[in-house]
Amino acid sequence: MKKLATFFFLLCCLSLAAGNINVRVLSSMNVFSANISVYAGSYDCYINDIQQPDSIATQVFQLSVVNDSLEIRIPGDTLGLFSSFRIVARTDSSAFKIKPIRPMSGTRVYDHSLKITVRDGKLLCINEVELEHYVAGVVESESGGRTAKEFYKVQAILCRTYALAHMSRHAPEGFDLCDGVHCQAYRGRP
């Protein structure tokens, strides 16, 4: 009976592992302005849920809070004020860069997709990422530069289990987990 219960638990975990999760990134910062650009792969771009031409998706975007809206700029042009901005990965290897400008901070690279809105006068940045890519980012963020392979294996099991057990921690806020240590430290692509 114990083996059967373990089998069903693992089966459930594996079925969830293939899914995407929504992780709030830059959650410990009050970000008012940031640059977004493609790092690898290709993307579709949506502004106010309207798909933009492919030529727009390759731009460097500067997003800034103006009142309760997003001001979106590309080099040489201001696109206007909007309620939402989203880039959606076309391939599994797609990644994007985000560089906070106000306040100034280092550039981070994340896998898959990104949605940005304004909440409480700040940018709300949500990374939609496959669970296994999230786990890889958490393992590096939580563990640092250790070299023991077995350590990383155990850490990956712990990170995945914790994520699955706390998946709805921030559901009322519109995302699954955040990148803060009370969920798990997540600084993006390892």
Side-chain angles (χ1 to χ4, degrees), residues 40-83:
S42 59
Y43 281 88
D44 290 319
C45 178
Y46 297 84
I47 298 176
N48 282 357
D49 297 324
I50 298 170
Q51 187 169 1
Q52 303 299 304
D54 285 348
S55 60
I56 293 286
T58 60
Q59 299 290 323
V60 174
F61 295 92
Q62 182 179 3
L63 279 67
S64 301
V65 175
V66 175
N67 299 321
D68 286 337
S69 298
L70 288 172
E71 180 182 63
I72 302 176
R73 294 179 181 203
I74 58 175
D77 196 10
T78 299
L79 300 180
L81 296 175
F82 303 95
S83 60

Side-chain angles (χ1 to χ4, degrees), residues 11-62:
L11 186 61
C12 288
C13 287
L14 288 174
S15 67
L16 287 171
N20 290 340
I21 62 172
N22 293 310
V23 182
R24 180 178 179 189
V25 297
L26 307 174
S27 65
S28 64
M29 302 172 64
N30 291 325
V31 179
F32 301 100
S33 184
N35 284 344
I36 313 297
S37 60
V38 172
Y39 178 77
S42 59
Y43 281 88
D44 290 319
C45 178
Y46 297 84
I47 298 176
N48 282 357
D49 297 324
I50 298 170
Q51 187 169 1
Q52 303 299 304
D54 285 348
S55 60
I56 293 286
T58 60
Q59 299 290 323
V60 174
F61 295 92
Q62 182 179 3

Side-chain angles (χ1 to χ4, degrees), residues 43-169:
Y43 281 88
D44 290 319
C45 178
Y46 297 84
I47 298 176
N48 282 357
D49 297 324
I50 298 170
Q51 187 169 1
Q52 303 299 304
D54 285 348
S55 60
I56 293 286
T58 60
Q59 299 290 323
V60 174
F61 295 92
Q62 182 179 3
L63 279 67
S64 301
V65 175
V66 175
N67 299 321
D68 286 337
S69 298
L70 288 172
E71 180 182 63
I72 302 176
R73 294 179 181 203
I74 58 175
D77 196 10
T78 299
L79 300 180
L81 296 175
F82 303 95
S83 60
S84 68
F85 170 85
R86 187 170 184 214
I87 53 173
V88 179
R90 290 182 177 170
T91 66
D92 188 48
S93 61
S94 295
F96 63 90
K97 295 190 296 187
I98 184 166
K99 169 134 183 68
I101 298 171
R102 205 178 65 200
M104 189 69 90
S105 185
T107 301
R108 294 185 185 177
V109 177
Y110 294 93
D111 288 313
H112 305 122
S113 302
L114 173 70
K115 181 174 183 178
I116 298 181
T117 57
V118 175
R119 184 179 292 168
D120 300 325
K122 302 176 288 256
L123 295 180
L124 175 67
C125 306
I126 299 175
N127 177 206
E128 182 182 335
V129 61
E130 287 180 13
L131 179 62
E132 292 309 309
H133 288 233
Y134 168 76
V135 167
V138 170
V139 167
E140 183 172 291
S141 298
E142 293 272 348
S143 304
R146 303 188 196 283
T147 57
K149 194 175 188 179
E150 296 304 314
F151 174 84
Y152 287 120
K153 290 178 184 178
V154 171
Q155 186 68 22
I157 292 168
L158 294 171
C159 292
R160 186 179 304 102
T161 302
Y162 188 90
L164 292 172
H166 295 88
M167 191 62 73
S168 60
R169 174 171 265 181

